[in-house]
Amino acid sequence: MSRKEKQKKRKRSAAHPGSYNGMGADPVRQPRQKRRRRKGNNTLWYLLILVFMVTTTIVLTTTVFFKIKTITVTGCERYDDRSLIISSGILLEENMFRLKDAQIREKLVNEYSYIAGVKIRRKLPDTIVLEITEEIPFGAIDAGAGYTLISESGRVLECNTPVLPEEMPVVMGFSEETPEQGSYLEESDSDNVKRMRLIVDAVRKIDFPYYTIIDLSDPYNLKLFYKDQFEIVLGTDSSLEYKLELILKVIETEDLLSSFHGTIDASYDGEVWTRPSGRVIAPVLGNQPDGQLQDGQLSEGQAPISGAEDQESEGDLSGEEGESQPEQGGDSG
């Protein structure tokens, strides 16, 4: 090939870089494709290495590391820690990440009636903490042979308790058949559980102390009884906090605690009426020994005392016999 022909080929190659020796090959594109293939192969290797490392970490985490050395219990005062740990089924040297939280929680809640909930916390590297939430007794049902304590959710906490806890109200109106300890009240009692919760919440909010019995027998005529002194009529479960505030105001301003025995009626909207009757007949409780009367309960055939002992006739209370003199005791709102 002559010198001139070589120069012409160089010029054609410079003018048409996409063609070489008539084959159409791109000398620049070929190295780029090789580099891309290398990068693809490297990415696949990186993914394989990552999967291997994750798998190895999981295996070591669940078999070798994080074995349980210590188990502690918090938030529970009713049961001892050892019993709860044994009942949970958690074992030392077990891997903490292999515990089945839902099963442990269900086991403890079902076995112990006062446990409302369990949270399992893992404190690395080797400690398990059982955080217990306890049920709070909300009221007591008189079951004849003893009292049945129930929680806010209607769960039976204790059965046949001989002594009523301090400041625990007796709740009337539930079905006679009481479920076993740890179970819940019958579905038919669910509405009364809600009414009981509304009353107790309202009582706690305003710190109302004058009640020992809650009577839910009539949902349209809810009542509270305070010893043998007050029968408090609330009517329906609407505006309970407002009604109790008016009742508390009347009791304190009229000094009813010192001399009044009778009915305090707040079933009328924004009004409180008092009807003296001398002595209040409270619902009969089955826990009273035979022949013994509860405070406020009259023997069969005995009429309630009307007014004070020194009154000579019932007519002094009102104009007509049998009608009590209502007293409006509170501003309407």
Side-chain angles (χ1 to χ4, degrees):
M1 184 180 293
S2 65
R3 183 175 180 183
K4 290 182 178 180
E5 289 177 351
K6 291 181 179 180
Q7 289 177 353
K8 287 180 181 180
K9 286 183 179 180
R10 291 195 191 109
K11 289 180 181 179
R12 282 199 300 267
S13 299
H16 305 283
S19 62
Y20 179 72
N21 290 335
M23 301 298 292
D26 188 352
V28 178
R29 188 175 300 173
Q30 287 181 346
R32 290 179 179 174
Q33 290 177 349
K34 291 181 180 179
R35 284 197 296 269
R36 287 174 183 170
R37 287 177 190 153
R38 291 196 195 99
K39 288 182 179 178
N41 293 335
N42 291 339
T43 302
L44 180 60
W45 278 108
Y46 293 151
L47 288 175
L48 291 175
I49 293 172
L50 179 61
V51 170
F52 175 77
M53 292 177 63
V54 170
T55 304
T56 304
T57 302
I58 293 174
V59 171
L60 292 176
T61 300
T62 56
T63 56
V64 179
F65 302 128
F66 306 114
K67 290 187 176 181
I68 300 172
K69 302 294 184 182
T70 306
I71 306 172
T72 60
V73 179
T74 62
C76 187
E77 298 180 357
R78 189 167 294 272
Y79 307 111
D80 64 276
D81 296 355
R82 179 179 173 80
S83 298
L84 294 175
I85 292 172
I86 293 175
S87 299
S88 71
I90 302 175
L91 302 176
L92 296 178
E93 299 299 325
E94 184 179 5
N95 188 278
M96 63 170 57
F97 290 104
R98 300 186 69 178
L99 298 178
K100 297 181 179 180
D101 295 16
Q103 292 183 2
I104 296 172
R105 187 181 303 110
E106 183 179 2
K107 188 183 298 184
L108 291 175
V109 170
N110 290 340
E111 186 171 346
Y112 298 93
S113 59
Y114 271 92
I115 293 182
V118 182
K119 182 177 289 187
I120 302 171
R121 293 194 176 277
R122 295 164 173 82
K123 296 179 67 175
L124 300 179
D126 56 12
T127 301
I128 290 292
V129 180
L130 299 176
E131 293 186 355
I132 306 296
T133 302
E134 289 188 325
E135 296 271 15
I136 299 176
F138 212 65
I141 299 175
D142 179 49
Y147 295 101
T148 300
L149 302 187
I150 57 177
S151 69
E152 182 177 358
S153 60
R155 189 180 188 189
V156 178
L157 304 179
E158 290 185 42
C159 296
N160 301 324
T161 302
V163 180
L164 192 65
E166 188 177 355
E167 299 182 357
M168 179 70 62
V170 177
V171 186
M172 314 291 292
F174 289 106
S175 58
E176 295 183 0
E177 294 184 2
T178 304
E180 297 179 354
Q181 182 173 341
S183 60
Y184 290 84
L185 296 176
E186 299 291 338
E187 186 176 353
S188 58
D189 290 322
S190 59
D191 289 336
N192 273 343
V193 172
K194 295 177 182 177
R195 295 186 187 99
M196 177 190 69
R197 189 184 305 126
L198 289 173
I199 291 175
V200 175
D201 284 346
V203 163
R204 289 176 176 174
K205 284 181 180 179
I206 68 169
D207 196 20
F208 186 86
Y210 306 115
Y211 76 109
T212 50
I213 297 176
I214 300 175
D215 188 359
L216 308 173
S217 303
D218 185 351
Y220 301 101
N221 195 31
L222 304 176
K223 296 180 180 180
L224 303 178
F225 290 88
Y226 179 64
K227 300 179 179 179
D228 64 341
Q229 189 168 3
F230 298 151
E231 177 190 23
I232 300 174
V233 181
L234 298 173
T236 64
D237 57 10
S238 63
S239 305
L240 288 174
E241 187 175 345
Y242 174 63
K243 293 175 183 177
L244 290 172
E245 284 179 345
L246 292 180
I247 294 171
L248 186 61
K249 181 179 179 181
V250 170
I251 292 175
E252 293 176 350
T253 56
E254 301 293 332
D255 196 20
L256 298 183
L257 195 62
S258 62
S259 58
F260 179 81
H261 288 73
T263 301
I264 304 175
D265 192 341
S267 59
Y268 301 96
D269 187 21
E271 298 179 346
V272 175
W273 296 74
T274 57
R275 294 190 294 271
S277 61
R279 185 164 183 165
V280 172
I281 304 177
V284 178
L285 298 180
N287 281 317
Q288 300 302 317
D290 294 340
Q292 180 178 343
L293 295 176
Q294 182 192 350
D295 287 346
Q297 179 186 349
L298 301 180
S299 60
E300 185 177 358
Q302 181 180 358
I305 303 173
S306 178
E309 292 290 342
D310 57 351
Q311 289 182 337
E312 296 181 359
S313 66
E314 295 181 359
D316 294 334
L317 295 176
S318 64
E320 297 180 10
E321 182 177 344
E323 180 182 353
S324 60
Q325 178 66 39
E327 175 184 345
Q328 186 170 358
D331 299 334
S332 59

